Amino acid sequence: PETEQRVVAVSDFEQECEKLIDNMGDEWTKDTGRDAMALVRMFKTVLEEHGVEHSGQIAQFHIGQLRQHFNHIPTDWGRSSRMRIMSAPELRAEGAKLRKAAEASGTEAKVGLAAGTIRKHFGNLQHFLKHLKGHGFEIESWTFEGLRPRKPKLGEVRRQQYKPKPQDIAPIFSSPVFCGSIGHLRGKRRKTGKHVFHDALYYLPILFTYLGPRRKEFAGLSVNDIAKDENGYVIILRTNSLRRLKTAQSERLLPVPEEMVRLGFIDYVEAIKRLGYEALFPDLFSDKTDNDPGDRFYDTFVPVMQGA
C-alpha cells in the first residue's frame, strides 16, 4: 500500500551505491566511485553491528557510531584487500592489535583515519543518503555537525607541511637508482652496480624536485603530454585517458627542466612512444589492477627515499 514505509534493506546498500555511481557518470572518476563504495560497505557493517536492517531504521546515533569507528581502524585499511572485506568489529580488532604492537615497540600506531579522509568519507556518505532520500526511501534527517573535522585553511596546511631543503634531497640522488645498480628488479635497484635504468623510479623524483606537482599528475602522464614549443620542451598537464586532474584549474603548461633533457628524458619519451605505449611511465600500470599509478610509484620510491 502507498501508506507503507518505503525502505531499502541494508543488505542491498551496495547495489544502491552502484546506481549512485552510474548516476554520477563523468562527474565522478573511477577512484571516486571506488571510495564511495568502500564507505558504503563500511557503513553497512556498522549498521549491521547495531542491528539495523533497513534505511528506515538509520538514526543520527548510527552516523555518530561510524565517526567513532573511524578512530579505531588501521589508517591504511583501504590498501589491504584482506581488511577491505572485514566487518566493523574485525577492523577495530585489527586496529587494537596494531596499537598493542606499537606500545610494545615504542612506536606510533598507524590507527585512525586522518581528518581529510574522514571529511571525504562523510562527503560520500552525504551523497549516498541523499541518493536514498531522492529515490523515495524513508530515512531520518541527519547532520554531520559536530562530527565532520574542520577543513583547515590553506595557510594552515602549508605550515603543517615540511619543506625539504636541498641538503635533505641530495642523498636521494646519490642512491644506486641514479648512480648505478646491479639490476632492474626492485631489490637490486637499491644495490650499487654499473647499470642505470630509465623509468618512473628514475625520472619522477627529478620531475617532482624541479616542478612540485601532485604525484598522480606526473605518474599518469601520457606520451602525448610531452611537446615542444618555441621556448623548448613542455609538459602539458591535462586530463587524459589514464587519469583526470583534480580541478579545471589544474590544467597548465610546465617547462621540461634543461637537466632532464641532458639526462635523456626526451630520448626516453621517444623510445616509449616507439614501443607503442600510451602511458609515459608504463611500469606504473597493470592490466590486472586499477591501482593508482602514484601509489605504485611510492611503493618503489619510498624505500629508496628512506634508505637515502
Side-chain angles (χ1 to χ4, degrees):
E2 289 185 11
T3 53
E4 267 189 31
Q5 188 182 37
R6 295 176 186 271
V7 296
V8 58
V10 169
S11 59
D12 292 334
F13 271 19
E14 288 169 55
Q15 290 94 309
E16 285 300 323
C17 188
E18 289 285 2
K19 292 177 188 175
L20 168 62
I21 293 168
D22 288 343
N23 291 347
M24 295 307 293
D26 292 339
E27 288 184 49
W28 276 9
T29 64
K30 190 178 287 186
D31 289 345
T32 306
R34 190 164 54 228
D35 286 343
M37 182 62 79
L39 176 276
V40 167
R41 283 179 183 144
M42 187 187 292
F43 188 41
K44 172 183 163 184
T45 66
V46 169
L47 294 174
E48 289 171 340
E49 182 184 13
H50 290 276
V52 176
E53 296 178 352
H54 58 72
S55 58
Q57 295 173 336
I58 299 173
Q60 182 67 39
F61 169 80
H62 300 118
I63 296 176
Q65 289 302 298
L66 175 67
R67 175 63 184 87
Q68 294 310 306
H69 176 73
F70 290 152
N71 294 336
H72 302 291
I73 65 175
T75 305
D76 297 330
W77 73 276
R79 295 184 184 178
S80 166
S81 55
R82 179 179 67 89
M83 285 194 279
R84 278 200 300 268
I85 60 173
M86 285 182 174
S87 67
E90 287 171 337
L91 261 182
R92 291 198 300 275
E94 197 74 16
K97 278 186 202 172
L98 291 177
R99 284 190 195 279
K100 192 172 181 181
E103 285 172 13
S105 62
T107 57
E108 188 176 345
K110 291 188 176 181
V111 177
L113 303 187
T117 305
I118 293 171
R119 283 196 303 274
K120 176 184 74 175
H121 282 320
F122 273 141
N124 286 330
L125 180 58
Q126 188 166 24
H127 272 294
F128 181 67
L129 294 178
K130 282 183 175 179
H131 166 82
L132 295 184
K133 206 164 193 175
H135 282 74
F137 295 116
E138 295 289 336
I139 192 161
E140 185 180 306
S141 295
W142 71 89
T143 179
F144 297 129
E145 193 173 341
L147 298 175
R148 197 199 308 253
R150 180 181 66 86
K151 187 172 183 178
K153 295 176 182 174
L154 188 58
E156 292 176 2
V157 174
R158 286 177 177 157
R159 280 197 296 273
Q160 289 168 8
Q161 293 173 333
Y162 176 72
K163 303 290 191 297
K165 297 177 176 56
Q167 60 266 31
D168 299 321
I169 295 169
I172 295 173
F173 297 109
S174 299
S175 73
V177 169
F178 301 96
C179 299
S181 54
I182 63 172
H184 73 278
L185 297 176
R186 184 180 293 197
K188 294 183 177 181
R189 291 292 285 277
R190 301 204 298 271
K191 295 178 181 177
T192 302
K194 60 182 181 179
H195 303 291
V196 174
F197 299 93
H198 291 148
D199 57 4
L201 186 58
Y202 181 85
Y203 281 122
L204 280 178
I206 305 172
L207 282 169
F208 290 144
T209 300
Y210 275 109
L211 302 172
R214 299 181 180 96
R215 74 172 185 259
K216 192 173 181 179
E217 287 181 329
F218 274 14
L221 284 170
S222 86
V223 290
N224 295 322
D225 292 334
I226 310 301
K228 191 174 186 182
D229 65 12
E230 64 275 11
N231 297 313
Y233 290 100
V234 293
I235 299 169
I236 309 168
L237 277 179
R238 58 190 171 187
T239 294
N240 59 32
S241 62
L242 303 169
R243 58 100 181 89
R244 291 171 62 176
L245 296 183
K246 191 168 183 180
T247 65
Q249 290 74 29
S250 299
E251 294 202 3
R252 57 203 189 277
L253 213 63
L254 296 173
V256 173
E258 289 182 12
E259 180 66 0
M260 289 286 292
V261 178
R262 188 187 74 80
L263 291 170
F265 181 63
I266 302 304
D267 296 331
Y268 166 83
V269 174
E270 293 303 319
I272 293 296
K273 196 180 287 187
R274 282 196 303 273
L275 288 168
Y277 289 109
E278 181 185 6
L280 182 58
F281 300 109
D283 48 307
L284 300 182
F285 292 85
S286 167
D287 58 355
K288 296 179 178 65
T289 67
D290 288 328
N291 284 4
D292 183 325
D295 289 345
R296 193 179 283 261
F297 163 68
Y298 261 32
D299 285 344
T300 54
F301 174 65
V302 168
V304 172
M305 180 176 67
Q306 290 171 339

